[in-house]
Amino acid sequence: MQFGIFTVGDVTMDPTNGRTPSEHERIKAMVTIAQKAEEVGLDVFATGEHHNPPFVPSSPTTMLGYVAARTDHLILSTSTTLITTNDPVKIAEDFAMLQHLADGRVDLMLGRGNTGPVYPWFGKDIRQGIPLAVENYALLHKLWREDTVDWAGKFRTPLQSFTSTPRPLDDVPPFVWHGSIRSPEIAEQAAYYGDGFFANNIFWPKEHFKQLIGLYRERYAYYGHGSADQAIVGLGGQVFMRKNSQDAVREFRPYFDNAPVYGHGPSLEEFTEQTPLTVGSPQEVIDKTLTFRDTFGDYQRQLFLMDHAGLPLKTVLEQLDILGEEVVPVLRREFAAGRPAHVPDGPTHQALVARRDNQEVSPA
């Protein structure tokens, strides 16, 4: 199991004092949070991609390259790379470059995002969201695996004898997750390629994500990549902790009530009952997170959202200390117990290289 955090990079007023950080402060805070994640023993840091206020991470590979230079072991990923509105050629080259800079500590999650206006901003039609995701990834997949590419599709100019540079590190592309909140077509896409599937697991009840992950597992096996329980699954989650659950609820409530993504809707109590959000003691976070395996089966990556809704940096760093010292060690131990030997570990560059080498020496 891999454990980590993901950020959406929102610039939100702290409702307890009315202060809003500057974009500069927020960006630098995200870097500090990534470094803290490594310090407390987490495995992954992932940033979103947004092109509208109140969010700042418009250039994920720029940020991740900066973080790569300041970390040694942390896997650097995205919690959305917009496959619909980014040019697949640019994605291929940007993430291959990042691979080299980070010595392979890179993967990415492709998605369509949740901001409708981003499509026309980049000259795309939102009504073509799924076809764009399908075609653009088909090209990205090809660019990373063929040195010379000829390509003609519906949504971009043709390519003739094109080579994407730099080539992937060790000729092994970054591992790809396909993220979706609601689209079975994306679960199908992940299964077809034998890639990972990441369920946001924040805004909707677990039954909704259980259906998507179940479909992905079924189709992963159908396409011959392995058994259904060998499919590569990642889950989101959201927590706020204090030693006493009452203190956690009292402290987090104003942030929840004013959060840009879900504030002014269901109450904190309703949201924690109906979704994976956990606000309470470290033990309550452990207990609820362990139920994810009962619902979704053994999985490979658990990412938590920790730094949003105007929470001050000091508080986020405190949360990471609790997560790294009191929660994740127990989760590692408990998730490992009873995990079948044939269920794969979380993806790493080293493991992908080893798998490639083993396939090359295996008899035909």
Side-chain angles (χ1 to χ4, degrees), residues 247-261:
D247 293 336
V249 171
R250 182 172 58 254
E251 184 176 349
F252 187 66
R253 187 181 300 280
Y255 296 98
F256 175 89
D257 289 343
N258 292 278
V261 290

Side-chain angles (χ1 to χ4, degrees), residues 139-307:
L139 175 54
L140 175 60
H141 190 270
K142 192 179 185 75
L143 288 166
W144 273 336
R145 288 164 175 82
E146 298 180 17
D147 289 341
T148 305
V149 171
D150 294 305
W151 171 267
K154 179 180 178 182
F155 298 110
R156 76 169 326 277
T157 53
L159 297 173
Q160 294 181 340
S161 301
F162 178 77
T163 299
S164 171
T165 60
R167 303 306 299 149
L169 179 65
D170 301 316
D171 290 322
V172 173
F175 186 83
V176 171
W177 304 84
H178 299 260
S180 180
I181 294 176
R182 61 186 178 275
S183 301
E185 296 92 340
I186 302 305
E188 175 76 16
Q189 182 184 42
Y192 175 80
Y193 287 101
D195 294 336
F197 182 72
F198 192 94
N200 170 282
N201 200 35
I202 288 181
F203 300 115
W204 296 55
K206 62 183 180 182
E207 290 76 17
H208 170 80
F209 291 110
K210 184 178 181 180
Q211 290 182 328
L212 278 177
I213 291 173
L215 170 64
Y216 162 66
R217 289 189 183 278
E218 175 187 330
R219 300 300 287 173
Y220 184 94
Y222 171 82
Y223 287 116
H225 301 298
S227 58
D229 62 353
Q230 290 178 310
I232 310 299
V233 172
L235 295 175
Q238 191 175 356
V239 299
F240 187 86
M241 298 168 285
R242 289 302 183 198
K243 181 178 180 180
N244 299 310
S245 58
Q246 298 92 335
D247 293 336
V249 171
R250 182 172 58 254
E251 184 176 349
F252 187 66
R253 187 181 300 280
Y255 296 98
F256 175 89
D257 289 343
N258 292 278
V261 290
Y262 48 52
H264 313 290
S267 70
L268 175 59
E269 287 73 17
E270 291 170 329
F271 209 82
T272 53
E273 180 182 354
Q274 298 171 12
T275 76
L277 171 65
T278 308
V279 180
S281 67
Q283 188 60 51
E284 287 174 305
V285 170
I286 292 167
D287 292 342
K288 191 163 187 176
T289 305
L290 288 174
T291 67
F292 294 173
R293 178 167 60 179
D294 299 331
T295 303
F296 305 112
D298 286 294
Y299 61 109
Q300 282 67 36
R301 179 172 291 184
Q302 175 66 58
L303 300 183
F304 295 102
L305 177 62
M306 310 287 287
D307 70 321

